[in-house]
Amino acid sequence: MASFVIEGGHRLSGEIHPQGAKNEVLQIICATLLTAEEVTVNNIPDILDVNNLIQLMREMGVTVAKEGVDTYSFKAENVDLAYLESDEFLKKCSSLRGSVMLIGPMVARFGKALISKPGGDKIGRRRLDTHFVGIQNLGADFRYDELRGIYEITADRLQGSYMLLDEASVTGTANILMAADLAKGTTTIYNAACEPYLQQLCRMLNRMGAKISGIASNLLTIEGVEELHGTQHTVLPDMIEVGSFIGMAAMTKSEITIKNVSYENLGIIPESFRRLGIKLEQRGDDIYVPAQETYEIESFIDGSIMTIADAPWPGLTPDLLSVMLVVATQAKGSVLIHQKMFESRLFFVDKLIDMGAQIILCDPHRAVVIGHNHGFKLRGARLTSPDIRAGIALLIAAMSAEGTSTISNIEQIDRGYQNIEGRLNAIGARITRI
């Protein structure tokens, strides 16, 4: 097990480039199974979850070639359907959350998919009902094998259908969308997720020959086609990394420029950080964050305490609440952080309290943060990363702290952040991997 040793208190300075978006690329890679032709994908991040999915695709019989530093081609011409029934394949699926998005493409193109319950972050209940019910609405049969602990999904030919999703699940919408592309007839998905990453998936599928309308809305209409063909696609920069770097600059009183952020796809993220008092400027497609000695949390117009809460897009992504909570510990003022979508994501706050933060954990979903206004620094501590986003939040806390901190279980951070210590050390951080 690797760890980070962080020497806190150093200011950052310079430019940093966000990696390709993890949550987008997992969908895009799965979508390459929908065609026998070659699909080339650019700006793929070199992170654990993505690398594991690429390797899984190779083992499934997909021809994968690395064309450049961050460019891969995928050709699913000879998929090994027998391998998909093996215990080895199912075991690998169980450790990789993104593998659930193999179901839609596999059932649509080959009429069958097997998958074990996928893994991922332990951040609370993450239901698969939306995926399964949606694909059942297209005519697939689901069977659960209790002995092997796997789901078997079969369909002769999927049939288009109208459906109203019980929740605007991003991966659920992606799965249903991919399955519907090769279904017979028209599919309408209401209460669909509409995140930029899902918009990217829709546009790529349309370039492959799909007929998807309503992109960027919560009402998608898909006219099924007989087959899809190859294309090229470039992944967006990761909005979670962009937000993490904004918070990092504020906590360490640093002046940095975040390059090529695809600003129009950041939604409410910049404004949410401004609510915490953080100054930032859009410069072309870059974000400039000036050094601030202090930043003050806004109040609502009626004077009540500011609340930062997650919501389906175009609301604030839940993946950034951990970062915003940490940033609030050094602000002037107080804020209620309300994590509505997952009930275990705030359980890392006890580590911040040990570092000197003033936080009241009200319940699994809500925490009140009373900011220090940089009156005194957090203290260095021995920490453990419980999930990807809490991991980066703890790294930010350690970078701003007085003294040295150690973060163990950094494999969780590696799942979502590419060479994070190398990129941060290049702009002034002091992080050592041991």
Side-chain angles (χ1 to χ4, degrees):
M1 280 244 181
S3 300
F4 281 148
V5 176
I6 304 102
E7 187 181 306
H10 295 282
R11 296 199 183 200
L12 311 178
S13 178
E15 298 179 348
I16 192 162
H17 292 257
Q19 67 187 29
K22 166 184 175 282
N23 290 343
E24 177 186 341
V25 79
L26 294 175
Q27 299 175 22
I28 295 299
I29 291 173
C30 291
T32 65
L33 287 169
L34 286 165
T35 178
E37 296 182 19
E38 186 174 271
V39 177
T40 302
V41 185
N42 306 303
N43 200 28
I44 292 182
D46 182 13
I47 56 177
L48 202 55
D49 273 10
V50 171
N51 292 340
N52 284 344
L53 182 58
I54 290 173
Q55 183 57 30
L56 184 62
M57 296 287 280
R58 286 192 180 103
E59 290 166 5
M60 290 168 63
V62 178
T63 302
V64 181
K66 188 169 185 179
E67 308 287 353
V69 175
D70 59 7
T71 300
Y72 286 80
S73 65
F74 302 85
K75 192 172 185 181
E77 188 177 21
N78 298 301
V79 176
D80 184 354
L81 298 178
Y83 175 72
L84 304 184
E85 299 192 26
S86 69
D87 289 337
E88 180 186 350
F89 170 75
L90 295 165
K91 183 179 179 182
K92 289 184 176 180
C93 287
S94 68
S95 63
L96 181 62
R97 179 85 191 167
S99 66
V100 71
M101 287 181 289
L102 297 171
I103 296 174
M106 292 297 299
V107 175
R109 186 166 162 220
F110 302 109
K112 185 174 184 180
L114 279 84
I115 196 155
S116 53
K117 188 175 179 181
D121 286 330
K122 307 305 179 189
I123 55 176
R125 294 184 309 120
R126 304 177 79 180
R127 299 185 300 116
L128 296 178
D129 302 50
T130 306
H131 300 249
F132 289 178
V133 171
I135 295 174
Q136 278 179 315
N137 285 338
L138 297 175
D141 293 321
F142 274 73
R143 186 176 67 85
Y144 182 64
D145 185 335
E146 289 190 31
L147 189 63
R148 298 181 71 191
I150 62 170
Y151 299 97
E152 183 176 353
I153 309 100
T154 55
D156 291 331
R157 174 75 192 270
L158 297 176
Q159 179 71 44
S161 171
Y162 170 86
M163 61 189 80
L164 173 61
L165 303 188
D166 64 335
E167 63 173 350
S169 164
V170 177
T171 53
T173 301
N175 231 341
I176 299 164
L177 175 70
M178 290 187 281
D181 284 323
L182 297 180
K184 185 178 180 181
T186 300
T187 299
T188 303
I189 308 173
Y190 200 16
N191 194 30
C194 55
E195 271 76 355
Y197 305 146
L198 201 72
Q199 298 173 34
Q200 285 278 96
L201 174 65
C202 290
R203 293 186 182 108
M204 185 188 91
L205 291 169
N206 278 351
R207 289 196 303 273
M208 294 170 69
K211 295 180 179 179
I212 304 166
S213 58
I215 298 171
S217 78
N218 68 347
L219 181 61
L220 294 175
T221 303
I222 306 102
E223 295 178 42
V225 297
E226 288 297 321
E227 62 179 6
L228 298 177
H229 51 77
T231 190
Q232 286 206 5
H233 180 78
T234 298
V235 175
L236 286 175
D238 197 311
M239 68 171 78
I240 314 305
E241 260 212 351
V242 172
S244 300
F245 294 149
I246 294 171
M248 206 172 279
M251 282 288 281
T252 57
K253 304 180 184 179
S254 300
E255 176 186 3
I256 67 169
T257 299
I258 309 166
K259 301 291 290 182
N260 303 323
V261 299
S262 188
Y263 198 93
E264 70 275 14
N265 287 301
L266 293 178
I268 202 173
I269 290 171
E271 185 56 34
S272 298
F273 280 102
R274 289 189 182 104
R275 285 183 164 190
L276 295 179
I278 298 168
K279 295 176 183 175
L280 53 95
E281 300 173 20
Q282 180 184 0
R283 295 184 173 179
D285 203 31
D286 303 339
I287 289 179
Y288 169 73
V289 187
Q292 288 180 254
E293 293 301 315
T294 184
Y295 48 96
E296 184 172 358
I297 298 170
E298 294 179 1
S299 297
F300 286 119
I301 291 172
D302 64 0
S304 58
I305 186 173
M306 175 60 61
T307 299
I308 302 289
D310 59 342
W313 190 269
L316 181 65
T317 171
D319 285 347
L320 272 176
L321 279 192
S322 300
V323 170
M324 300 191 83
L325 187 150
V326 166
V327 171
T329 65
Q330 289 297 337
K332 179 181 180 181
S334 301
V335 64
L336 172 65
I337 302 291
H338 192 173
Q339 169 62 269
K340 296 176 182 176
M341 297 170 71
F342 301 104
E343 65 266 17
S344 300
R345 259 201 168 145
L346 297 182
F347 287 166
F348 77 104
V349 301
D350 60 329
K351 316 285 195 311
L352 298 175
I353 293 169
D354 290 344
M355 296 176 78
Q358 293 188 311
I359 304 171
I360 301 165
L361 185 61
C362 308
D363 57 42
H365 292 277
R366 297 176 301 159
V368 175
V369 185
I370 299 131
H372 291 322
N373 191 24
H374 286 300
F376 63 88
K377 291 186 175 183
L378 300 178
R379 300 182 295 269
R382 297 191 68 85
L383 308 163
T384 300
S385 172
D387 63 70
I388 299 175
R389 307 310 175 187
I392 201 69
L394 291 174
L395 180 61
I396 293 170
M399 288 169 64
S400 74
E402 196 168 55
T404 300
S405 299
T406 301
I407 303 178
S408 57
N409 196 31
I410 61 168
E411 288 79 6
Q412 289 287 353
I413 300 175
D414 290 337
R415 286 179 49 216
Y417 293 86
Q418 174 180 317
N419 184 28
I420 190 66
E421 75 275 21
R423 290 189 290 152
L424 294 178
N425 286 343
I427 59 171
R430 302 282 179 88
I431 305 169
T432 305
R433 180 184 292 261
I434 58 171

